[in-house]
Amino acid sequence: MQNRGYLLVAAIILCPALVLGQTTFIPLWAKDNGFLDRLEIKAQVDNDLNLSAVKPYMRKAYVQVADSFRALLLNGQNPARLTKVDEYNLNRFQANNSEFSRYTAADFPNWKSKKPWSEHFFPTPGNFIEVNTKDFYLSVNPAVNQQQSLEKDFDKRVFVNSKGVTARGLIANKIGFHFFLTDNQEQGPLHYRQFVDSMIAVPGAGFYKSFKQNGYDYFDARGSVSWNVTKYINMQFGYDKNFIGNGHRSLLLSDFSNNMLFLKFNTRIWKINYTNLFMELFPTFGRRRDNLLDRKYAAMHHFSINATKWLNVGLFESIIFGRANRFDFSYLLPVIFFRSIEQQNGSPDNANIGFDFKANIAKKFQAYGQFMLDELNISELRKDKTWWGNKQAFQLGGKYVDVFGIPNLDAQVEYNWIRPFTYSHYDSVAAYNHYQQPLAHPRGSNTSEVIGILKYQPLNKLYLQARLNYWQQGLDSTRPNFVNNGANPNVPNNLRKKNSGYRMLDGVLSKGIMAYLVASYEIKENLFIDASMLYRTLEKAGGKQNVIMPGIGLRWNMFRRDYDF
């Protein structure tokens, strides 16, 4: 049965009759995402920008949006009230994705390098190698991240050493592809080391090996191919991360866990965006060599519609298959509710439904939120709201651009609330996890969190950010006897000792604060020097932990590791 699933995927990929067009995708960590977020709020009524809950974004669609704003500026119009820094970001976004733009370097000479090494080496400021000819586009760049930090009360260096390559391209204007590979050695701060010890997983990574005394060595490999089956339907087959939501966190699907194999259909037509996502996941991970790991499978639907010019609402459903090493083909049907199929199959699958929204207001504000329902038994809830199966989560947040009229100063506030046992199931196969890491919120369940973020770009190449997290969580008891309080989705929920009496934050109460400051300066296109300061404190029974960690870094075409969990 598993092999038949792979044959089906291969047949879809290799069917040339379906191939009509292409796009590639903007990485989740790219600087462009913040600019596009601002652009959406300031435009308020742009139909394409409002359909942005599923990430990563398709380059082609958003470059076309950028071109429309460029056309207005060239005609002396600025309805979105873009600042000078916004106009700089717009220019660099178009230049770095020029293969999809209707404009060329003839229109904007600064899209070309002043002193290219040759025809294909540094022809543009953003690409080390670039080939742009008829029927073929290719850009290849180094991917480097070197972070060095000092942690108080830890006598060894905290560091990240990543080096590799990233590439993207187009073939015959029909197939898009991207590739990213880095080799990483990492020795993280205290809460990173504790996460690895407790979860037997490196945050965001898959297979890993020990490196020196307290570090880990792992590969980060990502890639995909994409094509259009019609003008409105894009397909992507890849091994990467996905994100659903409008906030800093996602309660539906986040990019926190390891990369995953997936097949994605994205339909964008009229005021609608509809995503079908099929994934291969790993229920558990043991660092044994030469052993085939079990697989599990998941399917997700996300439907969003622009209800008005300023309001977007979305519906979400997911199913985590309760059978190892088997894909259930009945879930491939893209226009049916998963719950109905699960009932017909008589299966032990983990079904979830959700809702999300965002409202852009007065070209300055955005309100957004999510609701996740993991269990619904009305009769039980009427009898007892502390019933263990009362599993749900919600998020509410807001964004404010150009705070108090200060150009390019943006603020964000977000609240996340997750009841005990949410995302858990009877075993690790059907749990909402991957490589023993949560698929949604990094802390799992039985937790509440407030996040405040300030972002400021006072100059074209200077990026400043301050973030403050405060959270509370009811942890599972470990001593003298284990008690499952519903905090860890990896723990089967049938190991609970009772059926009711579960209130928010019951268990071993922990409270934490994390403050993070970072200043990044772009020396050259996509080459940043970073200076950061992290402060983290955690209080729970048994004492208090503090992490104070200043750091510096240099990265090129890569994300910064900021330990936000």
Side-chain angles (χ1 to χ4, degrees):
M1 183 67 73
Q2 183 179 2
N3 292 334
R4 287 171 57 190
Y6 288 124
L7 289 174
L8 176 64
V9 170
I12 293 173
I13 292 172
L14 296 175
C15 183
L18 295 177
V19 177
L20 299 176
Q22 43 60 41
T23 186
T24 53
F25 294 79
I26 302 168
L28 289 168
W29 42 265
K31 63 178 182 180
D32 304 315
N33 292 293
F35 166 67
L36 293 173
D37 201 17
R38 277 179 55 85
L39 196 61
E40 177 192 347
I41 296 171
K42 300 186 78 168
Q44 184 174 332
V45 295
D46 187 278
N47 189 64
D48 289 313
L49 286 172
N50 293 349
L51 296 170
S52 60
V54 177
K55 303 173 179 69
Y57 297 143
M58 292 184 288
R59 289 183 194 271
K60 187 174 184 178
Y62 286 89
V63 171
Q64 289 174 349
V65 169
D67 283 351
S68 66
F69 280 90
R70 174 63 64 190
L72 291 172
L73 292 173
L74 291 175
N75 288 326
Q77 302 175 57
N78 189 6
R81 293 175 288 187
L82 300 183
T83 67
K84 294 297 182 182
V85 172
D86 287 333
E87 292 184 29
Y88 171 83
N89 291 335
L90 176 66
N91 182 67
R92 298 319 307 160
F93 176 63
Q94 291 178 286
N96 290 334
N97 300 279
S98 60
E99 69 269 31
F100 294 112
S101 178
R102 68 174 182 254
Y103 298 100
T104 67
D107 303 301
F108 302 99
N110 64 1
W111 289 13
K112 290 290 185 181
S113 296
K114 293 180 180 179
K115 296 181 180 179
W117 291 6
S118 67
E119 180 183 0
H120 299 304
F121 284 86
F122 276 123
T124 61
N127 289 317
F128 180 65
I129 297 175
E130 185 175 33
V131 179
N132 194 350
T133 64
K134 182 182 178 181
D135 290 336
F136 185 61
Y137 176 85
L138 174 69
S139 71
V140 181
N141 286 288
V144 177
N145 182 28
Q146 297 290 327
Q147 292 179 215
Q148 299 291 331
S149 305
L150 296 175
E151 180 185 346
K152 182 184 177 184
D153 300 325
F154 185 55
D155 60 358
K156 297 177 178 61
R157 288 183 302 123
V158 173
F159 64 86
V160 178
N161 173 19
S162 302
K163 60 278 185 189
V165 63
T166 180
R168 74 174 193 266
L170 308 172
I171 300 174
N173 203 33
K174 292 182 178 181
I175 299 292
F177 63 89
H178 93 278
F179 175 75
F180 176 90
L181 174 65
T182 57
D183 176 38
N184 310 273
Q185 293 80 43
E186 182 174 18
Q187 188 163 274
L190 176 62
H191 63 288
Y192 167 94
R193 302 190 298 271
Q194 291 175 334
F195 184 99
V196 178
D197 290 341
S198 62
M199 296 291 192
I200 319 298
V202 170
F207 179 85
Y208 66 94
K209 299 183 292 184
S210 298
F211 178 77
K212 295 185 176 179
Q213 186 174 353
N214 295 283
Y216 302 97
D217 188 314
Y218 58 91
F219 284 109
D220 186 352
R222 314 180 190 194
S224 72
V225 292
S226 61
W227 61 96
N228 280 14
V229 296
T230 73
K231 179 180 178 181
Y232 304 105
I233 302 176
N234 176 265
M235 294 178 63
Q236 184 187 14
F237 180 64
Y239 189 78
D240 207 332
K241 301 176 188 283
N242 290 277
F243 188 97
I244 299 177
N246 303 291
H248 181 69
R249 306 288 197 199
S250 175
L251 305 182
L252 308 180
L253 177 65
S254 78
D255 58 345
F256 177 73
S257 66
N258 184 34
N259 307 320
M260 60 195 68
L261 184 71
F262 67 90
L263 177 66
K264 180 165 65 175
F265 297 74
N266 195 88
T267 304
R268 179 172 289 202
I269 187 171
W270 188 51
K271 300 178 181 181
I272 291 172
N273 193 86
Y274 184 43
T275 301
N276 306 96
L277 186 61
F278 308 97
M279 300 177 290
E280 181 182 77
L281 310 172
F282 289 83
T284 58
F285 167 64
R287 290 196 294 161
R288 304 182 303 272
R289 298 191 178 189
D290 301 324
N291 285 312
L292 181 65
L293 299 177
D294 285 336
R295 268 75 165 171
K296 67 179 184 179
Y297 296 89
M300 296 182 180
H301 293 163
H302 184 267
F303 173 90
S304 71
I305 183 170
N306 288 335
T308 70
K309 292 182 178 180
W310 52 270
L311 175 65
N312 178 270
V313 294
L315 297 175
F316 170 84
E317 64 171 345
S318 68
I319 195 86
I320 310 293
F321 301 178
R323 302 169 295 290
N325 303 319
R326 179 185 170 189
F327 187 95
D328 194 323
F329 289 95
S330 56
Y331 292 119
L332 281 174
L333 190 62
V335 288
I336 195 168
F337 288 108
F338 288 144
R339 186 66 174 174
S340 63
I341 299 177
E342 183 202 20
Q343 290 176 337
Q344 295 298 322
N345 290 347
S347 68
D349 299 334
N350 184 5
N352 306 277
I353 60 174
F355 164 82
D356 63 275
F357 80 94
K358 64 178 171 183
N360 296 316
I361 305 165
K363 297 187 177 183
K364 279 186 171 293
F365 305 97
Q366 181 184 94
Y368 63 90
Q370 290 183 333
F371 177 74
M372 173 71 139
L373 184 61
D374 192 7
E375 194 90 22
L376 182 61
N377 188 317
I378 300 298
S379 61
E380 289 286 352
L381 287 177
R382 284 177 177 173
K383 290 188 296 184
D384 185 3
K385 294 188 182 302
T386 67
W387 175 54
W388 76 273
N390 182 15
K391 301 187 291 181
Q392 56 196 266
F394 77 85
Q395 175 189 89
L396 188 63
K399 300 174 185 177
Y400 177 18
V401 300
D402 297 332
V403 175
F404 302 132
I406 302 174
N408 298 93
L409 175 63
D410 301 338
Q412 180 177 358
V413 177
E414 180 175 300
Y415 178 67
N416 297 295
W417 183 92
I418 309 170
R419 270 202 46 89
F421 297 104
T422 305
Y423 305 119
S424 68
H425 208 65
Y426 300 133
D427 56 27
S428 61
V429 176
Y432 212 77
N433 64 3
H434 173 48
Y435 256 96
Q436 299 179 183
Q437 302 170 56
L439 276 174
H441 197 289
R443 289 192 184 88
S445 311
N446 199 14
T447 187
S448 65
E449 176 188 46
V450 179
I451 305 172
I453 303 172
L454 279 176
K455 296 180 181 179
Y456 188 33
Q457 191 180 354
L459 304 172
N460 289 343
K461 298 185 176 184
L462 180 61
Y463 301 79
L464 306 176
Q465 182 182 151
R467 186 178 67 245
L468 182 66
N469 300 37
Y470 172 76
W471 71 91
Q472 294 180 304
Q473 185 172 23
L475 300 174
D476 299 336
S477 302
T478 57
R479 296 176 184 176
N481 297 309
F482 172 77
V483 177
N484 185 4
N485 293 305
N488 187 351
N490 293 338
V491 178
N493 55 37
N494 56 7
L495 296 181
R496 65 187 185 279
K497 294 188 175 181
K498 55 185 179 180
N499 287 329
S500 65
Y502 292 100
R503 296 173 175 83
M504 275 293 293
L505 307 180
D506 278 355
V508 180
L509 182 63
S510 66
K511 301 178 181 180
I513 296 175
M514 179 187 293
Y516 184 66
L517 301 172
V518 61
S520 301
Y521 186 80
E522 194 171 15
I523 305 170
K524 188 185 180 306
E525 193 71 27
N526 299 321
L527 176 62
F528 293 87
I529 184 169
D530 303 317
S532 63
M533 172 63 77
L534 183 146
Y535 170 79
R536 187 181 191 272
T537 180
L538 180 67
E539 295 184 49
K540 62 179 180 179
K544 181 177 181 180
Q545 299 175 350
N546 287 312
V547 172
I548 300 175
M549 193 175 75
I552 58 172
L554 182 72
R555 57 189 170 91
W556 195 7
N557 300 302
M558 219 183 139
F559 53 88
R560 181 184 60 252
R561 186 72 131 142
D562 61 8
Y563 303 106
D564 183 23
F565 52 89

